[in-house]
Amino acid sequence: MQVFCPDCGTQNVFDPHEYRCECGGAWEPVERDDFDPVFINMSSSTLWRYQKLFGLDEITEPFSLGAGWTPLVDADFAGGQTWFKLEFVSPTGSFKDRGTEVEMNYLKAVGIHEVVEDSSGNAGASLAAYAARAGLHAAIFAPDSASPAKLAQIGIFGADLHTIPGARIESTRAVLSAVADGAVYASHAYNPAYLLGQQSVAWELWEQFGQALPDVLIIPTGQGGLLMGAWLGFRRLLKAGLIDRIPRLYSAQPELLAPIQQAFSQGMEDIPEAQPTEKSIAEGLAIVKPVRSRRLLQALRESGGGAITVTETEIMDAYRQLALCGIFAEPSSAVAGAAVTKVRAQLGINIIIVAALTGSGLKSPIKE
């Protein structure tokens, strides 16, 4: 797989043992300007309908747990019609499966047998499931405060689970210690094959809207893998001449931890590390500094979007309102629902909004 570093411009063939560029930047798949719909496998109802478009020659016969081609449903929500991309309708109940399925197929194809990952829960569960299916050994480092349901899910798949005391960042420090000892870091934050898999969400939306696009896409954002993937996926469609614009992309974060909004609103080119003082109920978004900080800000600005923050009360209100629409999403996903009202207030009642709901409510249920 050909990759490049947007920080220093280096291009290389990806080596899974070198999870990032020598400059410290995160690898991305080399951008392509071709996207021929004739290569979409219309008989497939998974993300492998785009296998020929991924360009991963290493993967010849992919295994699948069924990730991708998630439902797009509409509802009367927050004062108008809102479309919801149900990313939690995935094998392990979260959007992470979209990237993990491609990532783990790639790692298996190039001969990797053992992987490590850090996660607040969803990424760890996804990696553990796919490692089990692929016959790889996985070790997951997660905060000891993570949702018990998520930790139990990691464990049932047979991964070695290391629960780390302290804030979410401590799990990252722990996994990097293992990486320094030679482990292969199958990181949802760094791995370019994971990021390539996430691009498929843009292509699905383009198909589901009849080769058209919504005005706005709101994504709850921690590391920002889905937002980055959507942006790169839309850019590829744009370069191929299949669309004439990219939807306005909006990140949605809780006010208690909103490093993206703080940097965006101040016109910064990078995101300083945040210093949270309280814990949000949106535990899946507890990232103090996204790995792809510069690129996330670029995606928001180039698309004409922005960064939205919501209060804990607004998150809970959206959590309940989604449930009244028949949609059970975890609080981290409800952050996107809460942001719909604010985006509609900015842009108008008649805009076509898609909100990505990234995790199932069964992951972190809240007793009423």
Side-chain angles (χ1 to χ4, degrees), residues 233-273:
F234 288 131
R235 277 168 60 111
R236 186 165 172 190
L237 293 174
L238 185 66
K239 290 180 178 182
L242 296 172
I243 58 176
D244 59 9
R245 61 175 178 83
I246 291 175
R248 296 174 184 258
L249 300 175
Y250 281 82
S251 68
Q253 294 188 300
E255 282 188 359
L256 291 179
L257 183 56
I260 296 174
Q261 190 276 338
Q262 291 166 11
F264 182 87
S265 64
Q266 295 176 36
M268 296 180 179
E269 296 300 317
D270 200 355
I271 300 174
E273 184 172 310

Side-chain angles (χ1 to χ4, degrees), residues 182-315:
V184 171
Y185 192 16
S187 170
H188 65 285
Y190 281 100
N191 191 279
Y194 175 91
L195 190 59
L196 182 59
Q198 294 293 1
Q199 292 185 34
S200 62
V201 74
W203 307 336
E204 285 181 17
L205 284 169
W206 175 70
E207 286 197 79
Q208 289 172 323
F209 274 96
Q211 298 192 355
L213 289 173
D215 298 311
V216 170
L217 175 58
I218 303 172
I219 299 177
T221 310
Q223 279 290 1
L226 187 60
L227 196 153
M228 274 292 302
W231 178 54
L232 294 174
F234 288 131
R235 277 168 60 111
R236 186 165 172 190
L237 293 174
L238 185 66
K239 290 180 178 182
L242 296 172
I243 58 176
D244 59 9
R245 61 175 178 83
I246 291 175
R248 296 174 184 258
L249 300 175
Y250 281 82
S251 68
Q253 294 188 300
E255 282 188 359
L256 291 179
L257 183 56
I260 296 174
Q261 190 276 338
Q262 291 166 11
F264 182 87
S265 64
Q266 295 176 36
M268 296 180 179
E269 296 300 317
D270 200 355
I271 300 174
E273 184 172 310
Q275 301 296 328
T277 57
E278 297 180 59
K279 183 180 177 181
S280 171
I281 56 173
E283 63 174 11
L285 307 182
I287 302 297
V288 295
K289 178 180 171 61
V291 163
R292 303 180 188 273
S293 294
R294 291 178 178 271
R295 294 288 267 174
L296 287 171
L297 293 172
Q298 182 183 351
L300 298 179
R301 289 177 176 134
E302 284 191 1
S303 69
I308 301 293
T309 62
V310 294
T311 67
E312 299 299 289
T313 298
E314 289 168 335
I315 296 169

